Protein backbone atom coordinates (compact mmCIF):
# COMPACT_ATOMS: atom_id res chain seq x y z
CA UNK A 1 0.00 0.00 0.00
CA UNK A 2 1.14 3.58 -0.67
CA UNK A 3 2.66 5.29 2.38
CA UNK A 4 1.46 8.62 3.70
CA UNK A 5 -1.86 9.16 1.99
CA UNK A 6 -2.66 12.26 4.05
CA UNK A 7 -3.89 15.00 1.71
CA UNK A 8 -3.28 12.88 -1.38
CA UNK A 9 -5.75 12.37 -4.21
CA UNK A 10 -5.90 8.72 -5.20
CA UNK A 11 -7.14 7.59 -8.57
CA UNK A 12 -8.57 4.13 -7.90
CA UNK A 13 -9.57 1.67 -10.63
CA UNK A 14 -12.30 -0.56 -9.23
CA UNK A 15 -14.56 -3.15 -10.80
CA UNK A 16 -18.04 -1.65 -10.40
CA UNK A 17 -19.42 -3.65 -13.32
CA UNK A 18 -22.53 -4.63 -11.34
CA UNK A 19 -25.76 -6.04 -12.78
CA UNK A 20 -28.64 -3.53 -13.08
CA UNK A 21 -32.31 -4.33 -13.68
CA UNK A 22 -34.56 -2.56 -16.22
CA UNK A 23 -35.16 0.23 -13.67
CA UNK A 24 -31.41 0.71 -13.38
CA UNK A 25 -31.39 -0.67 -9.84
CA UNK A 26 -28.42 -2.71 -8.64
CA UNK A 27 -29.39 -6.38 -8.32
CA UNK A 28 -26.12 -7.59 -6.81
CA UNK A 29 -23.70 -5.21 -5.10
CA UNK A 30 -20.97 -7.80 -4.35
CA UNK A 31 -18.44 -5.98 -6.52
CA UNK A 32 -18.99 -2.69 -4.71
CA UNK A 33 -18.71 -4.38 -1.33
CA UNK A 34 -15.43 -6.05 -2.35
CA UNK A 35 -13.92 -2.67 -3.23
CA UNK A 36 -14.79 -1.05 0.11
CA UNK A 37 -11.74 -2.08 2.21
CA UNK A 38 -9.30 -0.27 -0.08
CA UNK A 39 -11.52 2.81 -0.48
CA UNK A 40 -12.04 3.05 3.29
CA UNK A 41 -8.34 2.60 3.97
CA UNK A 42 -7.46 5.60 1.79
CA UNK A 43 -10.19 7.72 3.38
CA UNK A 44 -9.14 6.76 6.91
CA UNK A 45 -5.53 7.65 6.11
CA UNK A 46 -6.61 11.15 5.10
CA UNK A 47 -6.68 10.71 1.34
CA UNK A 48 -9.39 11.59 -1.17
CA UNK A 49 -10.63 8.94 -3.60
CA UNK A 50 -11.40 9.32 -7.30
CA UNK A 51 -13.10 6.13 -8.46
CA UNK A 52 -13.09 4.91 -12.02
CA UNK A 53 -14.65 1.82 -13.52
CA UNK A 54 -16.35 0.46 -16.58
CA UNK A 55 -19.95 -0.75 -16.60
CA UNK A 56 -21.06 -3.18 -19.29
CA UNK A 57 -20.04 -2.77 -22.92
CA UNK A 58 -21.63 0.50 -24.04
CA UNK A 59 -19.69 0.71 -27.32
CA UNK A 60 -20.79 -2.80 -28.29
CA UNK A 61 -24.45 -2.12 -27.46
CA UNK A 62 -25.11 1.22 -29.15
CA UNK A 63 -28.57 2.78 -29.66
CA UNK A 64 -30.19 2.19 -33.07
CA UNK A 65 -28.99 5.66 -34.18
CA UNK A 66 -25.40 4.69 -33.36
CA UNK A 67 -25.18 6.82 -30.19
CA UNK A 68 -24.07 5.52 -26.79
CA UNK A 69 -26.86 4.54 -24.40
CA UNK A 70 -25.56 6.84 -21.67
CA UNK A 71 -28.55 6.28 -19.43
CA UNK A 72 -28.36 2.50 -19.33
CA UNK A 73 -24.60 2.29 -18.87
CA UNK A 74 -24.14 5.22 -16.49
CA UNK A 75 -22.26 4.77 -13.24
CA UNK A 76 -24.53 7.41 -11.73
CA UNK A 77 -26.89 4.52 -10.87
CA UNK A 78 -24.33 3.36 -8.30
CA UNK A 79 -23.82 6.72 -6.65
CA UNK A 80 -26.38 6.51 -3.86
CA UNK A 81 -25.70 2.87 -2.95
CA UNK A 82 -22.03 3.74 -2.70
CA UNK A 83 -22.86 6.78 -0.65
CA UNK A 84 -24.85 4.63 1.82
CA UNK A 85 -22.03 2.13 2.12
CA UNK A 86 -19.34 4.76 2.65
CA UNK A 87 -21.58 6.91 4.86
CA UNK A 88 -20.64 10.06 3.02
CA UNK A 89 -21.56 12.03 -0.06
CA UNK A 90 -20.25 10.70 -3.38
CA UNK A 91 -19.65 13.39 -6.00
CA UNK A 92 -20.13 12.44 -9.63
CA UNK A 93 -18.38 13.65 -12.80
CA UNK A 94 -20.45 12.86 -15.86
CA UNK A 95 -17.63 13.55 -18.32
CA UNK A 96 -14.92 11.18 -16.92
CA UNK A 97 -11.93 13.24 -18.15
CA UNK A 98 -13.68 16.49 -19.14
CA UNK A 99 -13.84 19.90 -17.42
CA UNK A 100 -16.34 18.74 -14.78
CA UNK A 101 -14.09 15.91 -13.73
CA UNK A 102 -11.13 18.31 -13.51
CA UNK A 103 -13.00 20.90 -11.46
CA UNK A 104 -14.43 18.31 -9.09
CA UNK A 105 -11.09 16.54 -8.72
CA UNK A 106 -9.32 19.87 -8.16
CA UNK A 107 -11.55 20.87 -5.31
CA UNK A 108 -11.70 17.39 -3.73
CA UNK A 109 -10.68 17.42 -0.06
CA UNK A 110 -9.29 14.82 2.29
CA UNK A 111 -11.98 12.21 3.11
CA UNK A 112 -14.08 13.02 0.03
CA UNK A 113 -15.08 10.69 -2.80
CA UNK A 114 -15.56 11.40 -6.49
CA UNK A 115 -16.99 8.84 -8.91
CA UNK A 116 -16.18 9.25 -12.60
CA UNK A 117 -18.55 8.24 -15.42
CA UNK A 118 -18.05 4.93 -17.27
CA UNK A 119 -14.55 4.73 -18.77
CA UNK A 120 -15.92 2.66 -21.64
CA UNK A 121 -17.89 5.61 -23.02
CA UNK A 122 -14.54 6.34 -24.71
CA UNK A 123 -13.05 4.09 -27.38
CA UNK A 124 -9.65 5.20 -26.09
CA UNK A 125 -10.22 3.13 -22.94
CA UNK A 126 -10.14 -0.31 -24.57
CA UNK A 127 -7.42 0.86 -26.98
CA UNK A 128 -5.17 1.60 -23.98
CA UNK A 129 -4.76 5.12 -25.39
CA UNK A 130 -1.89 7.06 -23.89
CA UNK A 131 -3.43 10.54 -24.12
CA UNK A 132 -6.65 9.39 -22.48
CA UNK A 133 -4.59 7.73 -19.74
CA UNK A 134 -2.58 10.95 -19.29
CA UNK A 135 -5.80 12.91 -18.74
CA UNK A 136 -6.93 10.41 -16.11
CA UNK A 137 -3.53 10.56 -14.41
CA UNK A 138 -3.69 14.37 -14.20
CA UNK A 139 -6.64 14.08 -11.82
CA UNK A 140 -4.65 12.58 -8.96
CA UNK A 141 -1.34 12.17 -7.08
CA UNK A 142 -1.36 8.36 -6.83
CA UNK A 143 -2.94 5.35 -8.52
CA UNK A 144 -4.35 2.18 -7.00
CA UNK A 145 -5.62 -0.69 -9.11
CA UNK A 146 -8.10 -2.90 -7.27
CA UNK A 147 -10.03 -4.21 -10.29
CA UNK A 148 -8.91 -7.82 -10.53
CA UNK A 149 -11.76 -8.64 -12.94
CA UNK A 150 -10.18 -6.44 -15.64
CA UNK A 151 -6.52 -7.02 -14.79
CA UNK A 152 -6.15 -9.15 -17.95
CA UNK A 153 -7.09 -6.18 -20.15
CA UNK A 154 -4.46 -3.71 -21.35
CA UNK A 155 -6.90 -0.80 -21.14
CA UNK A 156 -6.11 2.84 -20.42
CA UNK A 157 -7.57 2.85 -16.91
CA UNK A 158 -6.23 -0.58 -15.92
CA UNK A 159 -2.76 -0.52 -17.44
CA UNK A 160 -1.58 2.53 -19.43
CA UNK A 161 -2.41 5.01 -16.67
CA UNK A 162 0.01 3.33 -14.23
CA UNK A 163 3.07 4.55 -16.13
CA UNK A 164 2.24 8.17 -15.25
CA UNK A 165 2.89 7.47 -11.57
CA UNK A 166 6.22 6.76 -9.88
CA UNK A 167 6.53 3.17 -8.58
CA UNK A 168 6.10 4.44 -4.99
CA UNK A 169 2.89 6.24 -5.96
CA UNK A 170 1.12 3.24 -7.45
CA UNK A 171 0.05 -0.09 -6.00
CA UNK A 172 -2.59 -2.81 -5.88
CA UNK A 173 -5.60 -2.53 -3.64
CA UNK A 174 -6.42 -5.17 -1.03
CA UNK A 175 -8.69 -7.17 -3.34
CA UNK A 176 -6.05 -7.69 -6.03
CA UNK A 177 -3.48 -8.46 -3.34
CA UNK A 178 -5.70 -11.19 -1.96
CA UNK A 179 -6.53 -12.68 -5.37
CA UNK A 180 -2.84 -12.96 -6.23
CA UNK A 181 -1.85 -14.27 -2.83
CA UNK A 182 -4.38 -17.12 -2.95
CA UNK A 183 -3.77 -18.01 -6.58
CA UNK A 184 -0.02 -18.10 -5.87
CA UNK A 185 -0.58 -20.30 -2.84
CA UNK A 186 -2.39 -22.85 -5.02
CA UNK A 187 0.10 -22.65 -7.88
CA UNK A 188 3.38 -22.40 -6.02
CA UNK A 189 3.04 -23.87 -2.55
CA UNK A 190 -0.03 -26.11 -2.38
CA UNK A 191 -0.37 -28.36 0.62
CA UNK A 192 -0.83 -31.88 -0.76
CA UNK A 193 -2.80 -33.71 -1.94
CA UNK A 194 -3.82 -30.96 -4.36
CA UNK A 195 -6.99 -31.65 -6.35
CA UNK A 196 -8.13 -29.51 -9.27
CA UNK A 197 -11.73 -29.81 -10.43
CA UNK A 198 -12.22 -28.63 -13.98
CA UNK A 199 -15.58 -28.41 -15.69
CA UNK A 200 -17.33 -26.20 -18.19
CA UNK A 201 -18.36 -26.54 -21.77
CA UNK A 202 -15.24 -26.83 -23.87
CA UNK A 203 -11.80 -28.41 -23.62
CA UNK A 204 -10.45 -25.73 -25.95
CA UNK A 205 -11.12 -23.05 -23.30
CA UNK A 206 -9.27 -24.99 -20.63
CA UNK A 207 -6.37 -26.65 -22.48
CA UNK A 208 -3.70 -24.35 -21.11
CA UNK A 209 -5.07 -24.64 -17.60
CA UNK A 210 -5.20 -28.44 -17.73
CA UNK A 211 -1.74 -28.53 -19.25
CA UNK A 212 -0.30 -26.38 -16.48
CA UNK A 213 -2.15 -28.14 -13.68
CA UNK A 214 -0.82 -31.52 -14.79
CA UNK A 215 2.54 -30.15 -13.69
CA UNK A 216 1.24 -29.05 -10.30
CA UNK A 217 -1.76 -31.04 -9.07
CA UNK A 218 -2.05 -34.61 -7.75
CA UNK A 219 -5.57 -35.24 -9.06
CA UNK A 220 -7.49 -33.53 -11.83
CA UNK A 221 -11.21 -34.26 -11.85
CA UNK A 222 -12.86 -33.53 -15.17
CA UNK A 223 -16.55 -32.80 -15.60
CA UNK A 224 -18.98 -30.90 -17.79
CA UNK A 225 -19.20 -30.88 -21.56
CA UNK A 226 -15.46 -31.22 -22.01
CA UNK A 227 -15.51 -34.77 -20.61
CA UNK A 228 -16.97 -36.11 -23.86
CA UNK A 229 -14.08 -34.93 -26.01
CA UNK A 230 -11.76 -36.98 -23.76
CA UNK A 231 -14.13 -39.96 -23.87
CA UNK A 232 -14.48 -39.90 -27.65
CA UNK A 233 -10.71 -39.58 -28.00
CA UNK A 234 -10.34 -42.78 -25.95
CA UNK A 235 -12.78 -44.61 -28.23
CA UNK A 236 -15.97 -44.26 -26.15
CA UNK A 237 -19.46 -43.74 -27.61
CA UNK A 238 -20.81 -40.35 -26.59
CA UNK A 239 -24.18 -40.19 -28.39
CA UNK A 240 -25.13 -36.58 -29.05
CA UNK A 241 -22.96 -35.10 -26.30
CA UNK A 242 -20.99 -31.92 -26.82
CA UNK A 243 -17.67 -32.66 -28.53
CA UNK A 244 -14.82 -30.78 -30.15
CA UNK A 245 -13.53 -33.11 -32.84
CA UNK A 246 -10.55 -30.88 -33.60
CA UNK A 247 -9.35 -31.34 -30.01
CA UNK A 248 -9.32 -35.15 -29.95
CA UNK A 249 -5.57 -35.48 -30.50
CA UNK A 250 -4.89 -32.88 -27.90
CA UNK A 251 -7.11 -34.67 -25.39
CA UNK A 252 -4.99 -37.80 -25.91
CA UNK A 253 -1.81 -35.78 -25.47
CA UNK A 254 -3.09 -34.38 -22.17
CA UNK A 255 -3.99 -37.89 -20.97
CA UNK A 256 -0.54 -39.14 -21.94
CA UNK A 257 1.20 -36.23 -20.25
CA UNK A 258 -0.80 -36.82 -17.06
CA UNK A 259 0.19 -40.49 -17.07
CA UNK A 260 3.82 -39.63 -17.62
CA UNK A 261 3.75 -37.16 -14.73
CA UNK A 262 1.91 -39.60 -12.48
CA UNK A 263 -1.12 -37.36 -12.14
CA UNK A 264 -4.63 -38.80 -11.89
CA UNK A 265 -6.60 -37.18 -14.72
CA UNK A 266 -10.03 -38.60 -14.02
CA UNK A 267 -12.96 -38.66 -16.44
CA UNK A 268 -16.44 -39.27 -14.97
CA UNK A 269 -17.31 -42.95 -15.03
CA UNK A 270 -21.06 -42.43 -15.44
CA UNK A 271 -23.19 -39.72 -16.98
CA UNK A 272 -26.72 -38.40 -16.63
CA UNK A 273 -27.84 -37.78 -20.20
CA UNK A 274 -30.84 -35.93 -21.54
CA UNK A 275 -32.77 -36.54 -24.75
CA UNK A 276 -32.55 -32.81 -25.50
CA UNK A 277 -30.65 -29.74 -24.29
CA UNK A 278 -33.53 -28.59 -22.14
CA UNK A 279 -34.52 -28.36 -18.50
CA UNK A 280 -37.52 -30.56 -19.27
CA UNK A 281 -35.52 -33.24 -21.08
CA UNK A 282 -36.06 -36.90 -20.22
CA UNK A 283 -32.99 -38.16 -18.39
CA UNK A 284 -31.23 -41.49 -18.21
CA UNK A 285 -28.01 -42.74 -16.65
CA UNK A 286 -25.28 -44.23 -18.85
CA UNK A 287 -21.79 -45.59 -18.56
CA UNK A 288 -19.94 -42.51 -19.89
CA UNK A 289 -18.24 -44.62 -22.58
CA UNK A 290 -21.53 -46.09 -23.86
CA UNK A 291 -23.96 -43.23 -24.36
CA UNK A 292 -26.62 -44.13 -26.91
CA UNK A 293 -27.41 -42.02 -29.95
CA UNK A 294 -30.15 -39.50 -29.25
CA UNK A 295 -28.80 -38.82 -25.73
CA UNK A 296 -26.40 -36.11 -24.61
CA UNK A 297 -24.37 -36.08 -21.40
CA UNK A 298 -25.52 -33.18 -19.22
CA UNK A 299 -24.28 -34.12 -15.75
CA UNK A 300 -21.95 -36.54 -13.98
CA UNK A 301 -23.53 -39.67 -12.46
CA UNK A 302 -23.62 -41.07 -8.91
CA UNK A 303 -20.48 -43.20 -9.25
CA UNK A 304 -18.47 -40.20 -10.45
CA UNK A 305 -19.93 -38.05 -7.66
CA UNK A 306 -18.91 -40.63 -5.04
CA UNK A 307 -15.38 -40.93 -6.40
CA UNK A 308 -14.94 -37.15 -6.73
CA UNK A 309 -16.28 -36.62 -3.21
CA UNK A 310 -13.78 -39.07 -1.74
CA UNK A 311 -10.84 -37.46 -3.52
CA UNK A 312 -11.96 -33.95 -2.62
CA UNK A 313 -12.47 -34.91 1.03
CA UNK A 314 -8.94 -36.30 1.27
CA UNK A 315 -7.35 -33.19 -0.30
CA UNK A 316 -5.55 -30.34 1.47
CA UNK A 317 -5.72 -27.92 -1.47
CA UNK A 318 -8.63 -27.63 -3.92
CA UNK A 319 -9.02 -25.51 -7.02
CA UNK A 320 -12.39 -25.50 -8.75
CA UNK A 321 -13.03 -23.95 -12.16
CA UNK A 322 -16.17 -24.70 -14.17
CA UNK A 323 -19.44 -26.57 -13.47
CA UNK A 324 -19.63 -30.36 -13.75
CA UNK A 325 -22.86 -30.27 -15.73
CA UNK A 326 -25.54 -27.96 -17.06
CA UNK A 327 -26.25 -26.68 -13.55
CA UNK A 328 -28.58 -23.97 -14.89
CA UNK A 329 -31.14 -26.80 -15.34
CA UNK A 330 -32.09 -28.12 -11.85
CA UNK A 331 -32.46 -31.63 -13.22
CA UNK A 332 -28.78 -31.65 -14.26
CA UNK A 333 -27.34 -29.66 -11.34
CA UNK A 334 -26.77 -32.62 -9.03
CA UNK A 335 -23.10 -33.24 -9.82
CA UNK A 336 -22.15 -29.57 -9.55
CA UNK A 337 -24.03 -29.17 -6.26
CA UNK A 338 -22.52 -32.37 -4.82
CA UNK A 339 -19.04 -31.13 -5.70
CA UNK A 340 -19.82 -27.75 -4.11
CA UNK A 341 -20.85 -29.59 -0.93
CA UNK A 342 -17.71 -31.76 -0.97
CA UNK A 343 -15.50 -28.68 -1.41
CA UNK A 344 -17.26 -26.97 1.51
CA UNK A 345 -16.95 -30.08 3.71
CA UNK A 346 -13.27 -30.50 2.87
CA UNK A 347 -12.72 -26.83 3.73
CA UNK A 348 -14.41 -27.36 7.12
CA UNK A 349 -11.89 -30.17 7.69
CA UNK A 350 -9.02 -27.74 7.09
CA UNK A 351 -8.39 -27.81 3.34
CA UNK A 352 -7.73 -24.60 1.42
CA UNK A 353 -10.24 -24.10 -1.41
CA UNK A 354 -10.12 -21.55 -4.22
CA UNK A 355 -13.10 -21.15 -6.51
CA UNK A 356 -11.94 -19.43 -9.67
CA UNK A 357 -13.97 -18.79 -12.79
CA UNK A 358 -17.34 -17.30 -13.56
CA UNK A 359 -19.69 -20.27 -13.65
CA UNK A 360 -18.28 -22.17 -10.70
CA UNK A 361 -18.66 -18.94 -8.75
CA UNK A 362 -22.37 -18.76 -9.65
CA UNK A 363 -22.69 -22.46 -8.82
CA UNK A 364 -21.20 -22.07 -5.35
CA UNK A 365 -23.40 -19.04 -4.72
CA UNK A 366 -26.45 -20.99 -5.89
CA UNK A 367 -25.55 -23.85 -3.55
CA UNK A 368 -25.67 -21.48 -0.55
CA UNK A 369 -22.21 -22.70 0.52
CA UNK A 370 -20.17 -19.67 -0.49
CA UNK A 371 -19.21 -18.83 3.09
CA UNK A 372 -17.87 -22.34 3.61
CA UNK A 373 -15.05 -22.18 1.06
CA UNK A 374 -11.73 -20.39 1.55
CA UNK A 375 -11.78 -17.88 -1.32
CA UNK A 376 -14.03 -17.07 -4.26
CA UNK A 377 -12.27 -15.16 -7.01
CA UNK A 378 -13.90 -12.03 -8.44
CA UNK A 379 -12.11 -12.39 -11.75
CA UNK A 380 -13.46 -14.98 -14.20
CA UNK A 381 -11.24 -14.45 -17.25
CA UNK A 382 -8.50 -12.74 -15.23
CA UNK A 383 -8.23 -15.64 -12.78
CA UNK A 384 -8.23 -18.19 -15.61
CA UNK A 385 -5.36 -16.36 -17.35
CA UNK A 386 -3.43 -15.96 -14.08
CA UNK A 387 -3.76 -19.67 -13.32
CA UNK A 388 -2.66 -20.49 -16.88
CA UNK A 389 0.52 -18.56 -16.16
CA UNK A 390 -0.09 -15.65 -18.52
CA UNK A 391 1.20 -12.25 -17.39
CA UNK A 392 -1.75 -9.93 -16.67
CA UNK A 393 -1.14 -6.42 -18.08
CA UNK A 394 -2.86 -4.72 -15.13
CA UNK A 395 -0.60 -6.54 -12.67
CA UNK A 396 2.55 -6.03 -14.71
CA UNK A 397 1.90 -2.27 -15.04
CA UNK A 398 1.98 -1.85 -11.26
CA UNK A 399 5.01 -4.07 -10.70
CA UNK A 400 7.16 -2.63 -13.54
CA UNK A 401 9.92 -0.66 -11.91
CA UNK A 402 10.85 1.39 -14.97
P1 LIG B 1 -17.37 -22.52 -19.00
O1 LIG B 1 -17.74 -21.08 -19.24
O2 LIG B 1 -16.47 -23.11 -20.02
O3 LIG B 1 -16.91 -22.77 -17.59
O4 LIG B 1 -18.71 -23.34 -19.22
C1 LIG B 1 -19.83 -23.18 -18.40
C2 LIG B 1 -21.01 -23.71 -19.12
O5 LIG B 1 -20.80 -25.07 -19.46
C3 LIG B 1 -22.27 -23.68 -18.29
O6 LIG B 1 -23.16 -22.75 -18.85
C4 LIG B 1 -22.80 -25.09 -18.37
O7 LIG B 1 -24.18 -25.18 -18.61
C5 LIG B 1 -22.05 -25.67 -19.55
N1 LIG B 1 -21.97 -27.14 -19.46
C6 LIG B 1 -21.56 -27.85 -18.41
N2 LIG B 1 -21.67 -29.17 -18.66
C7 LIG B 1 -22.16 -29.29 -19.90
C8 LIG B 1 -22.50 -30.40 -20.72
N3 LIG B 1 -22.37 -31.65 -20.28
N4 LIG B 1 -23.00 -30.15 -21.94
C9 LIG B 1 -23.15 -28.89 -22.38
N5 LIG B 1 -22.82 -27.79 -21.66
C10 LIG B 1 -22.35 -27.99 -20.43
Amino acid sequence: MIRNLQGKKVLMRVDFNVPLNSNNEITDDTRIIKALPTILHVLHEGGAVILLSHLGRPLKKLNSDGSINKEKFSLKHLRFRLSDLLEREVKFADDTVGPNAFDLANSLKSGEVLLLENTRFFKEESAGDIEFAAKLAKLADCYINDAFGTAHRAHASTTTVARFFEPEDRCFGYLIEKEIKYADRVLHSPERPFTAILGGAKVSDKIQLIDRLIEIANHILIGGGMSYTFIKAMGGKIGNSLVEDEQLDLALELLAKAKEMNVDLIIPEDTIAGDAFSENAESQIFDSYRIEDGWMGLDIGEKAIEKYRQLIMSSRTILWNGPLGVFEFPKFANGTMAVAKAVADATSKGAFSLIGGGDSVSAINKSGLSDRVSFISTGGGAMLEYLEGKPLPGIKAILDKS
Side-chain angles (χ1 to χ4, degrees), residues 51-354:
L51 294 166
L52 71 162
S53 175
H54 73 287
L55 176 65
R57 298 179 162 205
L59 294 179
K60 296 243 157 74
K61 295 183 177 162
L62 296 170
N63 291 320
S64 49
D65 65 358
S67 61
I68 297 174
N69 189 338
K70 292 204 165 165
E71 183 59 24
K72 179 167 160 109
F73 293 105
S74 177
L75 277 164
K76 71 180 179 192
H77 306 306
L78 280 66
R79 189 176 172 190
F80 297 107
R81 181 83 191 104
L82 189 58
S83 185
D84 282 348
L85 290 165
L86 293 173
E87 297 176 329
R88 70 195 74 203
E89 186 201 357
V90 171
K91 298 170 194 286
F92 182 69
D94 58 2
D95 54 359
T96 317
V97 286
N100 275 342
F102 277 85
D103 289 349
L104 285 163
N106 242 337
S107 56
L108 207 64
K109 295 189 192 58
S110 175
E112 290 187 336
V113 179
L114 168 65
L115 174 64
L116 304 181
E117 184 55 290
N118 196 343
T119 51
R120 287 200 191 157
F121 283 177
F122 299 82
K123 63 177 186 328
E124 290 84 352
E125 162 71 337
S126 303
D129 184 78
I130 199 153
E131 280 168 30
F132 181 72
K135 284 186 196 162
L136 285 171
K138 273 213 181 106
L139 299 172
D141 307 304
C142 340
Y143 171 70
I144 298 181
N145 186 357
D146 210 15
F148 185 69
T150 46
H152 57 320
R153 309 269 183 227
H155 290 179
S157 71
T158 63
T159 302
T160 324
V161 69
R163 73 178 71 165
F164 293 95
F165 297 91
E166 295 298 324
E168 62 275 19
D169 291 329
R170 64 183 191 227
C171 69
F172 301 125
Y174 294 130
L175 179 60
I176 289 202
E177 258 178 22
K178 248 202 266 177
E179 298 266 2
I180 297 176
K181 180 173 101 184
Y182 292 137
D184 283 349
R185 174 170 171 178
V186 165
L187 293 172
H188 304 304
S189 51
E191 232 189 287
R192 297 187 181 277
F194 169 21
T195 297
I197 310 155
L198 301 176
K202 295 179 175 169
V203 186
S204 51
D205 291 343
K206 306 279 162 87
I207 291 166
Q208 291 193 39
L209 183 59
I210 301 174
D211 193 52
R212 183 156 199 231
L213 287 173
I214 288 174
E215 288 163 16
I216 306 172
N218 301 98
H219 313 286
I220 300 178
L221 316 182
I222 301 286
M226 70 164 134
S227 317
Y228 306 101
T229 300
F230 282 102
I231 293 169
K232 182 166 179 187
M234 287 185 281
K237 276 184 68 224
I238 58 164
N240 296 27
S241 306
L242 193 67
V243 64
E244 290 170 281
D245 282 317
E246 60 297 350
Q247 304 293 346
L248 293 174
D249 288 344
L250 206 114
L252 288 178
E253 277 169 34
L254 290 172
L255 287 161
K257 178 171 173 180
K259 195 163 176 198
E260 197 180 302
M261 311 261 325
N262 226 351
V263 171
D264 267 340
L265 182 75
I266 307 179
I267 310 297
E269 200 179 326
D270 51 351
T271 282
I272 311 286
D275 62 353
F277 189 83
S278 152
E279 60 186 315
N280 303 315
E282 285 299 318
S283 64
Q284 195 172 312
I285 186 147
F286 287 96
D287 175 318
S288 298
Y289 294 77
R290 289 194 196 119
I291 301 173
E292 288 171 18
D293 287 344
W295 294 88
M296 59 179 79
L298 297 177
D299 195 7
I300 59 172
E302 284 300 328
K303 286 186 195 157
I305 289 178
E306 193 40 48
K307 178 158 194 173
Y308 286 9
R309 183 173 168 85
Q310 268 176 26
L311 286 168
I312 292 166
M313 287 303 290
S314 62
S315 301
R316 297 292 301 165
T317 304
I318 301 158
L319 169 68
W320 181 18
N321 176 296
L324 288 285
V326 185
F327 75 107
E328 296 92 336
F329 302 156
K331 201 167 185 171
F332 301 103
N334 226 2
T336 303
M337 292 304 144
V339 160
K341 174 84 170 51
V343 174
D345 289 346
T347 312
S348 304
K349 267 183 53 191
F352 175 78
S353 52
L354 169 64

